[in-house]
Amino acid sequence: QVDINMQTFPIQDVVAVSCAAHRINEGFIKKDQIRFDKKYEKSTCNSDMLYNYFFTDKKFDVKNSDKEQATEVIDYLKGLSFKAIERELTEFESNVLKLVSSTEITKDKLGIAASLPKVYLNKVEQDGWTSRELELSRTSEKVGKLHQRERFEGIVEFTRYIPRTMSYIVTCSIDDKHILKFFTDKKLKTQSKITIEGFVKSQAKGKYHPGFETVINRIKLVED
């Protein structure tokens, strides 16, 4: 009798199956979403799909495109080792790096493996935004008057969900050269044009770039 907890599978195969699950589910579905969100009640979360694929007869089709994407995901996430030179990795990033650097994977790591396509897509988006932010930072000055309520027209450049506050931090470009940031509970579409009113809370140099960032709060999105 083989102990299923000790059974191992090649990392390449596991990530290919993970990419297939991500494609079938049109994204990453967590266990909690199945339990608490009616929208997902008939779905199977990605980690269960991986478990079913490797340990039951509930197989699904893994396409060549999934296998190709798996190679891309693994290679890209191995690049976290270069990030580790620049800064300390988060615990999650360290676990991801350890996983993609191994050749085999055990049952207890299937959960994290299921999230790798999503982690990869987030990192690609983040890296793309980092270079765009750097480009904007070269021209970014303060916009609006500090401690005044102002109206801005801008383009949504990047949004990131913050689980702790259950809101999105949104970064906009103003006139294609200034950086404006605010929090909202609405998911705004990147590259969409918005008109927004808000109280200018701060205007300071960015943490990761040399330009100015204007931060507003008490916002109101102005509909056309």
Side-chain angles (χ1 to χ4, degrees), residues 62-214:
V62 178
K63 300 182 173 181
N64 277 336
S65 57
D66 300 320
K67 293 173 187 174
E68 284 161 17
Q69 195 187 7
T71 303
E72 217 171 289
V73 167
I74 291 167
D75 288 349
Y76 192 91
L77 293 176
K78 277 182 179 173
L80 284 169
S81 56
F82 297 111
K83 287 260 196 309
I85 299 164
E86 299 163 18
R87 61 171 174 81
E88 199 178 330
L89 296 181
T90 64
E91 189 185 348
F92 182 71
E93 286 174 329
S94 297
N95 289 337
V96 165
L97 181 57
K98 209 179 289 174
L99 193 70
V100 294
S101 304
S102 56
T103 52
E104 299 278 318
I105 190 169
T106 48
K107 179 192 165 199
D108 62 326
K109 297 289 188 292
L110 287 180
I112 188 169
S115 71
L116 291 185
K118 180 177 189 285
V119 173
Y120 160 74
L121 291 171
N122 285 349
K123 293 280 177 204
V124 168
E125 191 186 9
Q126 179 73 54
D127 287 351
W129 161 239
T130 302
S131 52
R132 172 67 176 144
E133 186 177 39
L134 200 58
E135 182 193 330
L136 284 170
S137 73
R138 295 190 183 110
T139 54
S140 189
E141 297 291 344
K142 303 169 184 178
V143 287
K145 258 194 180 161
L146 192 61
H147 303 148
Q148 298 280 326
R149 195 160 180 83
E150 300 271 7
R151 177 183 279 220
F152 301 98
E153 286 184 8
I155 305 276
V156 176
E157 294 278 353
F158 186 69
T159 66
R160 186 159 62 91
Y161 185 65
I162 313 284
R164 190 170 43 85
T165 58
M166 290 169 71
S167 62
Y168 295 90
I169 180 162
V170 179
T171 306
C172 289
S173 60
I174 308 292
D175 299 331
D176 202 27
K177 58 183 181 181
H178 307 299
I179 296 170
L180 177 79
K181 294 189 173 184
F182 58 88
F183 286 91
T184 177
D185 54 5
K186 280 189 184 149
K187 184 164 174 40
L188 300 177
K189 211 170 156 195
T190 50
Q191 295 311 305
S192 59
K193 286 183 178 177
I194 60 164
T195 302
I196 189 162
E197 290 177 356
F199 180 78
V200 181
K201 185 186 167 197
S202 69
Q203 296 168 321
K205 288 275 178 89
K207 210 172 172 181
Y208 304 108
H209 61 74
F212 276 95
E213 291 182 351
T214 299

